[in-house]
Amino acid sequence: MAYVAVKGGERAITNAHKWLGEVRRGDTKIPELSVSQIREQMSLAVDRVMAEGSCFDPELAALAIKQARGDLPEAIFLLRAYRTTLPRFGFSQPVETAQMAVHRRVSAAFKDIPGGQVLGPTFDYTHRLLDFKLAAEGETEIDSAAQSYSEMPEELATIAQVFEHEGLLEIDGVNNNEDPPFDLTREPMSFPAERDQRLQALARGDEGFLLSLAYSSQRGWGNTHPLCGEIRMGEVSIGFIPDELGFEIELADVPMTECIMLSGFASIEGNAPQYTRGYGLTFGHNERKAMSMSIVDRALRARDMGGEVTAPCQDEEFVLYHSDVVEASGFVQHLKLPHYVDFQADLQFLRRLRSEFTQAKDALNQSSNEETKVAAQ
Amino acid sequence: MNEISEIKIDNKPPQERYYTYAYLDEQTKRMIRRAILKALSIPGYQVPFGSREMPLPYGWGTGGIQLTAAIIGPNDVYKCIDQGADDTTNAVSIRRFFATVADVATTEDTAKATIIQSRHRIPERPLQSGQIMVLQVPQPEPLRSLEPRETETRAMHAYEEYGLQYVSLYENISAYGRIAATAGYPVMIDERYLMSPSPIPKFDNPKLDMSPAILLFGAGREKRIYAVPPYTKVRSLDFEDYPFETQTWDEVCALCGSDTSYLDEVVLDDQGNHMFVCSDSHFCAERRENGHLGPLAGHSLAQKSDDSNANRVLQEGIAK
Amino acid sequence: MNAAAATPLDLSTLLPGFSEPARQSQSCFRLIMDATALPGSISDFADLCLTPPQGIDKAAAACLLTLADADTNLWLDPALRNSESENWLRFHTGAPITTEANTATFALISSIESAPNFGEFNQGDAKYPDRSTTILVMVSSLSGGTHLTLRGPGINDEIVIAPRGLSEKFWRERDELVAHFQFGIDLILSAGSQLVSIPRTTRITY
């Protein structure tokens, strides 16, 4: 009886949730994962959940991953719903990524740049061969990397600083506007969107969606001719000025990934031609996201650069309205809620159309039969 | 201003004490409340609001839930329906949420409710003065299927350019001989703003016109709130030669015999047999209690669908 | 813009606000919402436990405590500026006080004679008419004045109100503004513990 499945009632829901709990735990003969194990050993998943969840808290993100059985969009949703209940105290000072404690920094634009290329912990240049040693029970020995932190300068010049004296790269990121930055977690989208709103939407946006958009741009659907100026990953300190103190205090050191993508030159506001840039920044270590974000950011500037908006990745309404995984997942999946009232309304309409069609056809047949009879007589 | 301490200290299990009254923090409630007042002051106009992530997914009633959370108080009596029924799973889930976070009495009785939250239906029993109807809205923009860009549709509302909507209805008439919209049928509010009544069947549209209740509409994912105050003119769009008409059935409700209510079709087997029953579960149950009998009165569907019963039927269903 | 923000608050004589913010603001909001949904009907805050400073009606105070916060600019008429009332509102709502009428989300007027022309307040935008100012006007009484007949959304046929102390000029000025609907201002009149709401859709004959 299909009807009953819809009207499951409260006990059916409770039982479904219990079942879910059992499935989440899996075979109880296997030891349970701890939140700290997830935080430490699935750190890139934790980073993604924090970035798209708009909430930096590795412990909560790891808990969300555990509760969501490893489903990251679900974990992102859990973290966002929790975030809703938190009061907002204000907004931080802009982060100074130039002063990042760098773990990794690479530039594709130059063979070497001041401070050098720092490879850091990366999958790049690993051979993607399953490492069966990891499947072995028990702790395997880990070769630690030779550390040479003493040689790292306190502050690594950014690609923008390298270009600065020649003026080859547009200077941006300076917000002379005294208004507080746009905050999508408190205000709805508004169009035309300023860059702060766009960047926030991209930073919260679904990694897969932004990756595909960036890819589509590279393949010619709104190409920005990107060149990876710099990627850096490491800890940045977050400063905050509480109203009651009036001076800046340091809240935390937060790992972040930043990408500056150099794009085709343009003459902006009548200045000499310069490289333009796209910008990407995410919590944690996530280069795929930061790079995709920087390409899409630049593509979305097509209008500001006097270009024509022709491709999906350049269309801010298209990109910003469809990049949020929590919104998208909710709406696509709401289709499994009962819709039988609207379906009934449609069905009734369709039946009426069909019966009118049949009647008309019968009437036509009848009259042509009669005509045939008349002709036969 | 002491909002952080606004944590429930009662005998609820510890995991439920982490949240403030009605889930939302006070600043969020104020923002939603301001949006509600502007929505009532400009009937039918969609007020943008800073919709929050709720513990239910977008598309599952987050707009309605945020409206309810912003207005509900311990003296309210809350009813929640989905497809007209109190016992559909999502309605049960939302009702349970508010019973937990807002210490509110819940009911299935339309007459006793002060707040009625609904997805896709307006109850059959006429709404009364003092009641608040909260409707969950998936797509607040009536013009969205005709124009995907918000920047365009917002301008159309600003300058009252609704020609596109009429053209679309007229195209229906050329194709099907009548207006094809069956649910979410567009309405004009106080002869100014074109509004989506949410995906209620057009059968329910006349209930909106000059209703004595406050009608609030919430779209969480699309971040819009709109409203129709009591005693406001709500006109379903039509043409002089193609007037607005609602659905009618040849059948009556198989359980209670009603010939005035919106009917759901229940498939009985795979041989094409079906029955029609009231979509409004409480309306139907009340009629049966008052002795009204339909042609299939006594069918297992007519049993009161309390939890133990629903579960039993579910198990029987599985056993079969 | 925040002329008052720099001056420190004098907390020594400050009266309390809501004792239970979540519960009280919820019940106050319902009274305000009912008033807005039913223009011309009187909402009474007599049961509310709140003693605002002299100079603000209980109903107007309840409105602002319920609706105003750090995200809403509050405009006060000259008679209320730098007063105990201003201190009280600033402390309990956190709302920035503005002297520019067109940036105000809420405006509180204690003396209609010294108030600016309504046209100076924010009338909203064609695409975003909700951005307009909500103006609270404190009057001596909601009865005993000239009879005004109200019609429009929220009113079953018609309703008569008779607030005291508002001239015909006041209503004409308001009529001129709301004639350009969807632009317009939304009015709340308060006296003591009572208030009545007159949104821009209400048509008035006098």
Side-chain angles (χ1 to χ4, degrees), chain B residues 41-228:
Chain B
S41 303
I42 315 166
Y45 162 75
Q46 301 165 48
V47 183
F49 82 112
S51 174
R52 306 292 198 251
E53 272 89 3
M54 297 304 285
L56 273 77
Y58 282 129
W60 298 54
T62 53
I65 291 169
Q66 288 180 80
L67 282 173
T68 299
I71 62 177
I72 204 165
N75 298 330
D76 277 309
V77 181
Y78 179 66
K79 172 182 166 86
C80 186
I81 51 174
D82 186 346
Q83 314 293 300
D86 297 90
D87 55 358
T88 35
T89 38
N90 203 41
V92 170
S93 157
I94 296 172
R95 186 165 59 238
R96 193 154 72 169
F97 177 72
F98 281 111
T100 309
V101 301
D103 308 325
V104 76
T106 62
T107 185
E108 296 193 1
D109 190 339
T110 306
K112 289 191 181 126
T114 55
I115 299 175
I116 304 168
Q117 183 171 334
S118 171
R119 178 169 168 264
H120 296 195
R121 273 313 309 275
I122 311 274
E124 304 297 358
R125 184 194 170 90
L127 299 172
Q128 306 153 26
S129 170
Q131 287 186 315
I132 303 165
M133 182 87 218
V134 173
L135 282 146
Q136 301 169 199
V137 182
Q139 177 50 262
E141 180 48 71
L143 298 163
R144 184 62 71 235
S145 59
L146 308 173
E147 168 52 62
R149 283 181 193 280
E150 169 68 9
T151 37
E152 296 291 327
T153 51
R154 194 148 275 268
M156 291 178 187
H157 287 293
Y159 307 112
E160 213 178 337
E161 282 172 9
Y162 296 135
L164 192 63
Q165 179 71 71
Y166 279 101
V167 168
S168 151
L169 294 180
Y170 196 77
E171 282 170 357
N172 279 183
I173 293 171
S174 328
Y176 304 116
R178 60 180 65 80
I179 295 170
T182 54
Y185 191 106
V187 290
M188 204 62 166
I189 306 301
D190 198 35
E191 296 303 330
R192 173 57 182 86
Y193 278 103
L194 184 71
M195 187 189 93
S196 163
S198 86
I200 55 172
K202 64 179 177 178
F203 179 89
D204 285 341
N205 276 22
K207 296 174 185 168
L208 302 175
D209 185 35
M210 300 303 277
S211 166
I214 296 176
L215 310 173
L216 300 179
F217 298 80
R221 186 182 44 78
E222 296 283 342
K223 303 174 175 56
R224 298 288 185 271
I225 285 171
Y226 53 99
V228 179

Side-chain angles (χ1 to χ4, degrees), chain C residues 16-184:
Chain C
F18 284 154
S19 55
E20 286 183 277
R23 306 279 168 152
Q24 288 175 311
S25 57
Q26 186 274 333
S27 57
C28 287
F29 174 69
R30 287 290 281 276
L31 288 171
I32 303 165
M33 180 171 85
D34 283 346
T36 308
L38 301 163
S41 70
I42 288 172
S43 279
D44 200 322
F45 296 76
D47 293 339
L48 174 70
C49 189
L50 178 72
T51 312
Q54 198 138 39
I56 320 181
D57 284 338
K58 189 179 187 181
C63 256
L64 290 172
L65 253 48
T66 302
L67 299 170
D69 61 22
D71 293 334
T72 61
N73 282 344
L74 174 60
W75 184 95
L76 299 175
D77 76 6
L80 291 167
R81 282 180 209 157
N82 304 312
S83 67
E84 198 189 341
S85 301
E86 183 188 301
N87 278 349
W88 188 80
L89 288 168
R90 271 176 64 199
F91 181 80
H92 290 296
T93 67
I97 307 293
T98 181
T99 51
E100 291 171 38
N102 67 351
T103 68
T105 313
F106 295 103
L108 180 61
I109 293 174
S110 62
S111 142
I112 200 67
E113 291 78 30
S114 62
N117 188 304
F118 281 170
E120 289 179 30
F121 291 100
N122 192 340
Q123 311 296 306
D125 177 288
K127 291 177 187 167
Y128 298 95
D130 55 301
R131 292 178 183 168
S132 62
T133 306
T134 300
I135 303 179
L136 289 104
V137 181
M138 296 190 277
V139 297
S140 58
S141 169
L142 292 182
S143 57
T146 320
H147 282 217
L148 306 168
T149 305
L150 315 185
R151 286 186 188 81
I155 302 166
N156 193 4
D157 193 24
E158 59 176 52
I159 189 167
V160 175
I161 60 167
R164 225 180 263 187
L166 298 173
S167 63
E168 202 175 309
K169 178 173 158 283
F170 173 93
W171 294 112
R172 277 197 210 292
E173 212 175 276
R174 182 252 174 206
D175 279 359
E176 276 166 30
L177 288 181
V178 301
H180 306 285
F181 186 82
Q182 64 272 29
F183 299 95

Side-chain angles (χ1 to χ4, degrees), chain A residues 80 84 315 317 327 356, chain B residues 53 149 151 178 223 248:
Chain A
R80 291 248 197 113
T84 293
D315 184 328
E317 267 203 61
E327 290 174 9
E356 281 172 7
Chain B
E53 272 89 3
R149 283 181 193 280
T151 37
R178 60 180 65 80
K223 303 174 175 56
T248 52

Side-chain angles (χ1 to χ4, degrees), chain B residues 256-318:
Chain B
C256 77
S258 167
D259 60 358
T260 57
S261 58
Y262 190 86
L263 300 179
D264 288 333
E265 184 173 338
V266 180
V267 177
L268 294 172
D269 53 32
D270 54 6
Q271 307 298 311
N273 288 310
H274 48 213
M275 66 194 265
F276 287 85
V277 295
C278 291
S279 131
D280 184 335
S281 59
H282 181 262
F283 174 80
C284 190
E286 199 171 43
R287 275 179 56 85
R288 294 196 306 270
E289 272 164 30
N290 292 333
H292 295 281
L293 295 177
L296 287 174
H299 188 275
S300 66
L301 278 177
Q303 289 163 14
K304 186 156 169 49
S305 57
D306 63 24
D307 285 324
S308 54
N309 186 53
N311 210 44
R312 189 178 56 72
V313 183
L314 181 67
Q315 281 163 357
E316 278 173 14
I318 292 167

